[in-house]
Amino acid sequence: MSLIGKFATVGTATLGSRIFGFVRETLMAAAVGTGPVADAFNAAFRFPNTFRRLFAEGAFNSAFVPLFAKEIEANGMEGARRFSEEVFGVLFTVLLALTILMELSMPFIVRTVIAPGFLEDPVKFDNTVRLATIMFPYLACMSLAAMMGGMLNSLHRYFAAAIAPVFLNIILIGVLALAWWKNYDPLQVGFALSWGVMVAGLVQLAIVWIAVRNAGMRIGLRRPRLTKNVQRLLVLALPAAITGGITQINLLINTNIASAGEGVISSLAYADRIYQLPLGVVGIAVATVLLPELARALRGGHMVEAGSLQNRSVEFVLFLTLPAAAALLVMAEPIVRFLYERGNFSPSATITVAQILGIYGLGLPAFVLIKAFIPGFFAREDTRTPMIFAAISVVVNVSLALTLFPRLGGPGIAIAEITAGWVNAALLFGMLLWRGHWQVDIPLLTRIPRLLLASALMAGFVHYALTYLSFELSSASSIFVRAGTIMALVFAAMLVYFVLAFASGGADIGMVKRAIRKRGKKSVETEAG
């Protein structure tokens, strides 16, 4: 399967999860709006979700995958299985201890880390503590699932790990449907959703565990021991966790800052859900596929293939994210109005969330490029350098958020996030170039300005189209008229962009596919000769 084919496999599964996520957020917006229960639930859910990204996806998809792949090559499947059992024993023990500690400390954590601004509202504070206590074990389930997902990715079995997250959204949609049927009040909805998150963690863990067994890996529970392999993993995992979860670190810090404003946390969460669609589909697909593929090429000494993988990945993400960023910038308000504005979600909330979403759009290419650049470090077992750059971007984010939030509210926090993202992306790319780990690719350099031009022209087309479709996209129109209008506008924008991109030479899918196969074959032949 070609590189783009692998991207498509993971991206399709992630797209399914994101679509269900839209349905979930639409129902949740109608049920709780941007009120105190929405703030409490989103703040409480942010905490285990942040740890999941830091210690699960960040650490194991970045540090565990190269070591697991190396173990397969050195000692075969049996050696890889022993290594996995060693890691599983340590991970399970640490997660159990962490879960117990966090559950006992939850009031202190909410008061100092998650949402200190909630102290002024004792009811909201108490609800946040209770909801976070229910949801925190989700971390343990997802951390173990992430480890098994890394194993599946190293075995080139991408689908199960990519499709598992969809069940979180399916379960929560079921919970919200039940809440609507039973006419729950907002607080009852919040507690029902929290228990749904806990159940979803168990379901996702079961899915990847079954997939790992079907792949020929039967993992038993061993007594935790710090073997040489586990020690090496821990050395790599700590900076990798920080680096891979930098977006989540910034979001957690911003949640802390935003807790001082009414409805800001939930507004950021609703905007984040929309822009996570292109970020998740493209970014997760590239990060998931590129790391094991790049690690394999580097271990085999196939430097030409490694360079081609990196450049084609960047070409792929820019081809898809630049128009998505332009569309979010100009279409934010009608999108938010269509998805959320009903029930307890007011027109004023639409304006706030749309402002945040438009700003997030400007940072979309940066966050996806970060996922394409980081494998260039992790595949070489360098997790320290990206960690340093991640720390710098955190400083940028916190400084700007503290400065802009009192003046601009939620949009100020969004500006801080995207600025930190672009700083991180620039530092990663600059270091890859300086070390000679990124080969300058003339086709890529010539296509980037053409893709930018195509995206800008598409944005201009959409902007002028919106002036003629203002009534059809307003809340005065029926939901069916708005849905049809948005779909027609999106398809028209896609047509304009693709025509401009291909006509200008900014994109050539056929050439990309041939280049990947040709360069991969050439590198093998060159190294063999």
Side-chain angles (χ1 to χ4, degrees), residues 184-207:
Y184 284 177
D185 62 43
L187 184 58
Q188 289 176 309
V189 173
F191 278 99
L193 287 171
S194 298
W195 285 111
V197 169
M198 183 64 249
V199 172
L202 295 171
V203 171
Q204 292 177 72
L205 176 58
I207 290 171

Side-chain angles (χ1 to χ4, degrees), residues 103-420:
E103 294 282 13
L104 295 175
S105 308
M106 198 58 71
F108 173 77
I109 293 169
V110 173
R111 183 169 59 250
T112 57
V113 178
I114 302 177
F118 288 1
L119 285 172
E120 298 179 3
D121 186 339
V123 174
K124 184 191 287 190
F125 174 81
D126 182 61
N127 287 335
T128 304
V129 171
R130 294 164 67 191
L131 295 176
T133 301
I134 294 170
M135 285 188 281
F136 194 80
Y138 174 76
L139 164 68
C141 296
M142 295 312 301
S143 297
L144 297 173
M147 173 191 164
M148 295 182 187
M151 295 169 62
L152 291 170
N153 293 336
S154 297
L155 297 170
H156 306 292
R157 300 191 178 205
Y158 300 104
F159 188 73
I163 200 66
V166 76
F167 287 91
L168 169 65
N169 294 321
I170 290 174
I171 290 171
L172 294 188
I173 288 170
V175 169
L176 288 165
L178 177 66
W180 173 79
W181 182 47
K182 295 286 189 179
N183 198 27
Y184 284 177
D185 62 43
L187 184 58
Q188 289 176 309
V189 173
F191 278 99
L193 287 171
S194 298
W195 285 111
V197 169
M198 183 64 249
V199 172
L202 295 171
V203 171
Q204 292 177 72
L205 176 58
I207 290 171
V208 292
W209 179 73
I210 293 171
V212 167
R213 286 177 64 88
N214 291 338
M217 286 279 180
R218 295 177 178 268
I219 303 176
L221 183 61
R222 290 192 176 193
R223 181 171 59 87
R225 293 173 56 245
L226 290 178
T227 63
K228 184 179 297 185
N229 282 334
V230 173
Q231 291 176 18
R232 177 61 178 161
L233 174 67
L234 293 176
V235 169
L236 293 174
L238 180 59
I242 297 172
T243 305
I246 184 59
T247 301
Q248 299 304 311
I249 294 174
N250 283 332
L251 287 175
L252 183 61
I253 294 171
N254 290 340
T255 298
N256 183 300
I257 297 171
S259 65
E262 187 67 34
V264 177
I265 290 177
S266 51
S267 296
L268 289 166
Y270 288 130
D272 179 73
R273 167 54 59 184
I274 298 175
Y275 110 102
Q276 281 291 333
L277 177 63
L279 175 61
V281 171
V282 181
I284 291 177
V286 169
T288 300
V289 175
L290 183 57
L291 178 58
E293 295 291 325
L294 190 58
R296 176 189 55 79
L298 292 173
R299 284 196 309 273
H302 305 147
M303 305 309 295
V304 176
E305 182 185 5
S308 178
L309 285 168
Q310 290 177 306
N311 282 292
R312 298 291 73 78
S313 297
V314 169
E315 189 174 86
F316 175 75
V317 302
L318 290 179
F319 173 67
L320 294 180
T321 58
L322 288 176
L328 290 178
L329 183 62
V330 296
M331 284 185 66
E333 189 168 330
I335 290 174
V336 172
R337 181 177 296 113
F338 169 68
L339 290 175
Y340 298 142
E341 193 177 298
R342 60 186 58 83
N344 289 319
F345 198 97
S346 65
S348 61
T350 294
I351 295 173
T352 301
V353 174
Q355 291 173 341
I356 295 171
L357 179 60
I359 296 168
Y360 275 160
L362 294 174
L364 177 61
F367 291 117
V368 179
L369 285 172
I370 289 170
K371 293 182 179 295
F373 292 151
I374 282 180
F377 295 90
F378 288 166
R380 295 175 172 88
E381 298 186 12
D382 175 12
T383 57
R384 183 174 177 272
T385 301
M387 181 189 69
I388 294 172
F389 294 157
I392 293 172
S393 71
V394 168
V395 172
V396 172
N397 173 73
V398 174
S399 301
L400 285 176
L402 290 172
T403 303
L404 298 177
F405 177 67
R407 305 176 186 177
L408 303 176
I413 289 181
I415 292 172
E417 285 183 33
I418 69 160
T419 303

Side-chain angles (χ1 to χ4, degrees), residues 331 461 469 481-495:
M331 284 185 66
F461 163 78
L469 299 170
V481 171
R482 280 184 282 164
T485 304
I486 288 178
M487 289 179 63
L489 186 55
V490 168
F491 281 120
M494 289 172 59
L495 180 62

